[in-house]
């Protein structure tokens, strides 16, 4: 994990607001997760969590879940091995599938979200004169995936679609699951479905792809040490299924959340009706923590003075000492009362140009933030390599150029 000093060095070089992706932390985390899961389990990175990490995953021996033509285009530009891609998404269009098949040589596997998609994939494969591997996505009761009866019908009539090789089933039911019993019951349910498909139609599922939705702690003391307790329970459970299936675990947040950092600088300080406010040069358009309601919860953070003095350091155990520190409500630069990042954050006596570092920002914040609101500049995105060198992944983008008529641009 990057030291606070290194983070400030990067922020001083590139200014704030700023994202820093920690590639060494990512590699360490993936290796630790793989070691816990053991042989027979493949990781699939749900790249929607942070597409800027796509290149960093290329040497980590994982798959990529790709859910849109735009995400696929990113993989093309990053020269991702097409065989590592699981082409997913509820809306697949013929032109996009034909591009994948005819121009890119196809991908590793395609998910099937509906009977209509099944027919469409068959049509595209037949026209390209190829056979493709597919996974049947099982719905958990929402708009995603196939009803179990539809899956049974597809499997029953699979010989009518020789262009499609059904590898098995896929299922994702949601993120941030707090109870392992939910994950256990879902895996048992999927295994039972596969057993029934074999008993009724002689179809043996070779692959089971599952999104466990393991939780990431964002607030309080737990945010400083995201442990692997539930992953270890999952690893023990999967031992019972490794001989039966080729297992793929699809995860996004759990893989990358800890590997991203956000730095913002103090632009103004004020007290209104007894409440102390700090205005920073970032805001809720850049920071998005799952489960953060009305900024009432405190995420992992460090506080650094303009001269480099570290007041609060997430890297040392004394990080939360000093309960008498003055507490300030941290607000962003958007003209909306909703732009509250954290209420009553203990930072002492703030001054302009001080910096606040927010951790566990590697998943979703970069893409889910309401970037275009108020036409403010979009932050620089950097990545720190294992050798300490820093790359600029995206420089400053002025969103006013996006938020105006094209014929007015110059």
């Amino acid at each position: 994990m990057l030291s606070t000093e290194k983070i400030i060095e990067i922020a001083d070089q590139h200014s704030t607001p700023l994202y820093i992706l920690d590639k060494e932390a990512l590699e360490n985390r993936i290796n630790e997760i793989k070691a816990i899961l053991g042989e027979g389990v493949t990781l699939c990175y749900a790249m929607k969590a942070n597409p800027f990490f796509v290149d960093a995953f290329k040497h980590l021996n994982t798959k990529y879940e790709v859910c849109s033509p735009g995400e696929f285009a990113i993989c093309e530009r990053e020269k991702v091995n097409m065989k590592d891609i699981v082409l997913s998404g509820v809306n697949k269009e013929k032109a996009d599938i034909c591009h994948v098949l005819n121009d890119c040589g196809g991908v590793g596997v395609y998910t099937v979200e509906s009977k209509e998609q099944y027919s469409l994939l068959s049509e595209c494969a037949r026209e390209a004169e190829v056979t493709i591997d597919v996974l049947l996505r099982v719905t958990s009761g929402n708009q995603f995936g196939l009803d179990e009866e539809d899956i049974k019908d597809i499997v029953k009539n699979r010989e009518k679609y020789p262009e499609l090789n059904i590898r098995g089933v896929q299922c994702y039911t949601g993120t941030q699951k707090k109870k392992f019993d939910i994950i256990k019951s879902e895996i048992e349910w999927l295994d039972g479905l596969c057993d029934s498909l074999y008993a009724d139609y002689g179809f043996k599922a070779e692959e089971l792809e599952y999104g466990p939705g393991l939780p990431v702690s964002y607030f309080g003391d737990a945010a400083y040490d995201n442990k692997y307790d539930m992953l270890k329970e999952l690893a023990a459970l999967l031992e019972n299924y490794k001989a039966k299936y080729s297992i793929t675990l699809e995860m996004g947040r759990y893989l990358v959340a800890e590997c991203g950092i956000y730095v913002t600088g103090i632009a103004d300080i004020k007290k209104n009706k007894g409440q102390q406010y700090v205005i920073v040069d970032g805001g809720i358009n850049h920071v998005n923590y799952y489960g953060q309601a009305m900024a009432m919860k405190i995420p992992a953070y460090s506080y650094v003075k303009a001269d480099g003095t570290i007041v609060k350091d997430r890297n040392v155990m004394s990080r939360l000492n000093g309960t008498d520190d003055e507490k300030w409500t941290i607000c962003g630069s958007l003209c909306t009362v909703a732009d509250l990042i954290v209420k009553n954050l203990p930072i002492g006596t703030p001054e302009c140009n001080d910096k606040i570092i927010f951790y566990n920002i590697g998943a979703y914040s970069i893409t889910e933030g309401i970037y275009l609101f108020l036409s403010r500049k979009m932050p620089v995105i950097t990545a720190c390599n294992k050798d300490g060198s820093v790359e600029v992944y995206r420089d400053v983008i002025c969103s006013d150029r996006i938020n105006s008529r094209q014929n007015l641009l110059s």
Side-chain angles (χ1 to χ4, degrees):
M1 178 173 292
L2 292 177
S3 67
T4 305
E5 290 83 359
K6 181 64 175 179
I7 293 169
I8 294 304
E9 175 189 323
I10 298 171
D12 286 341
Q13 181 179 356
H14 295 281
S15 75
T16 57
L18 172 75
Y19 293 109
I20 305 172
L21 307 181
D22 189 343
K23 294 168 70 175
E24 183 177 9
L26 174 68
E27 181 173 347
N28 291 340
R29 184 166 178 83
I30 297 302
N31 289 337
E32 288 169 358
I33 290 172
K34 285 183 176 181
I36 292 169
L37 292 172
E39 297 294 328
V41 179
T42 301
L43 294 179
C44 181
Y45 175 49
M47 64 175 286
K48 66 174 71 70
N50 190 336
F52 288 92
F53 271 126
V54 165
D55 179 66
F57 269 95
K58 285 196 297 188
H59 71 285
L60 297 177
N61 194 27
T62 66
K63 298 180 183 179
Y64 297 81
E65 189 217 21
V66 176
C67 289
S68 72
E71 287 191 341
F72 186 78
I74 292 170
C75 288
E76 286 185 273
R77 288 196 295 272
E78 294 285 5
K79 295 180 172 53
V80 168
N81 186 336
M82 292 290 128
K83 296 305 178 185
D84 292 335
I85 291 177
V86 178
L87 194 68
S88 193
V90 291
N91 178 20
K92 295 183 178 74
E93 298 188 14
K94 184 174 182 178
D96 298 318
I97 298 171
C98 289
H99 168 63
V100 171
L101 288 171
N102 299 326
D103 303 328
C104 304
V107 298
V109 67
Y110 306 72
T111 67
V112 176
E113 292 268 0
S114 67
K115 296 180 79 172
E116 183 69 23
Q117 267 194 20
Y118 188 74
S119 297
L120 176 60
L121 287 168
S122 175
E123 177 185 348
C124 293
R126 185 169 58 253
E127 291 178 2
E129 299 181 339
V130 295
T131 300
I132 62 176
D133 290 338
V134 300
L135 292 170
L136 305 180
R137 179 170 183 175
V138 192
T139 187
S140 60
N142 48 35
Q143 74 268 36
F144 301 104
L146 290 147
D147 189 79
E148 289 181 52
E149 292 304 312
D150 288 335
I151 287 178
K152 293 176 181 178
D153 187 58
I154 286 174
V155 169
K156 179 182 178 181
N157 297 289
R158 62 191 182 280
E159 292 182 1
K160 296 179 181 179
Y161 299 87
E163 306 85 7
L164 304 183
N165 175 43
I166 304 173
R167 292 264 314 154
V169 299
Q170 189 262 6
C171 186
Y172 174 76
T173 61
T175 188
Q176 293 291 77
K177 297 188 179 96
K178 302 294 185 182
K179 296 181 179 179
F180 182 72
D181 285 348
I182 296 174
I183 295 173
K184 182 175 184 292
S185 64
E186 288 176 348
I187 292 176
E188 291 172 346
W189 160 57
L190 293 172
D191 180 53
L193 173 61
C194 291
D195 284 346
S196 69
L197 294 176
Y198 182 70
D200 296 341
Y201 310 109
F203 170 76
K204 186 178 186 307
E206 299 174 35
E207 183 170 351
L208 178 64
E209 180 177 317
Y210 174 63
L214 295 172
V216 172
S217 297
Y218 285 120
F219 309 108
D221 287 345
Y224 294 90
D225 187 13
N226 278 309
K227 297 180 179 179
Y228 293 117
D229 294 347
M230 197 176 289
L231 179 72
K232 291 175 182 176
E233 289 185 86
L234 176 59
L237 176 64
L238 291 179
E239 287 297 323
N240 302 317
Y241 299 96
K242 285 182 177 180
K244 193 173 183 180
Y245 307 104
S246 172
I247 300 171
T248 299
L249 293 182
E250 173 209 319
M251 295 186 282
R253 182 190 312 277
Y254 193 76
L255 301 184
V256 300
E258 284 194 1
C259 307
I261 297 157
Y262 176 73
V263 189
T264 185
I266 292 181
D268 200 0
I269 303 159
K270 63 176 73 175
K271 182 181 290 188
N272 290 348
K273 296 187 179 298
Q275 178 65 54
Q276 300 187 126
Y277 292 98
V278 161
I279 307 298
V280 296
D281 54 17
I284 58 168
N285 51 331
H286 305 154
V287 178
N288 181 50
Y289 285 111
Y290 186 97
Q292 184 167 6
M294 298 301 292
M296 295 300 291
K297 301 176 181 179
I298 296 180
Y301 76 101
S302 294
Y303 189 82
V304 182
K305 303 296 292 182
D307 64 4
T309 302
I310 300 172
V311 176
K312 295 284 185 181
D313 190 352
R314 69 101 62 208
N315 293 317
V316 296
M317 293 305 295
S318 60
R319 59 185 179 264
L320 295 179
N321 285 349
T323 54
D324 293 333
D325 283 349
E326 290 188 38
K327 297 179 180 180
W328 296 76
T329 293
I330 312 302
C331 302
S333 296
L334 304 181
C335 289
T336 168
V337 293
D339 194 7
L340 298 173
I341 301 176
V342 188
K343 288 184 176 179
N344 298 320
L345 190 69
I347 58 174
T349 305
E351 298 175 288
C352 287
N353 300 317
D354 291 354
K355 293 181 178 68
I356 308 175
I357 303 168
F358 292 101
Y359 300 91
N360 301 338
I361 212 80
Y364 293 105
S365 279
I366 286 179
T367 50
E368 281 195 349
I370 49 174
Y371 278 142
L372 302 185
F373 186 69
L374 212 68
S375 298
R376 299 196 69 89
K377 292 179 180 179
M378 296 164 67
V380 174
I381 299 173
T382 64
C384 188
N385 297 307
K386 198 170 185 177
D387 62 3
S389 62
V390 177
E391 300 176 72
V392 176
Y393 275 13
R394 187 187 72 195
D395 213 334
V396 174
I397 294 178
C398 298
S399 65
D400 63 278
R401 298 180 67 82
I402 301 173
N403 289 347
S404 58
R405 291 185 297 161
Q406 292 297 308
N407 63 354
L408 295 181
L409 301 182
S410 58

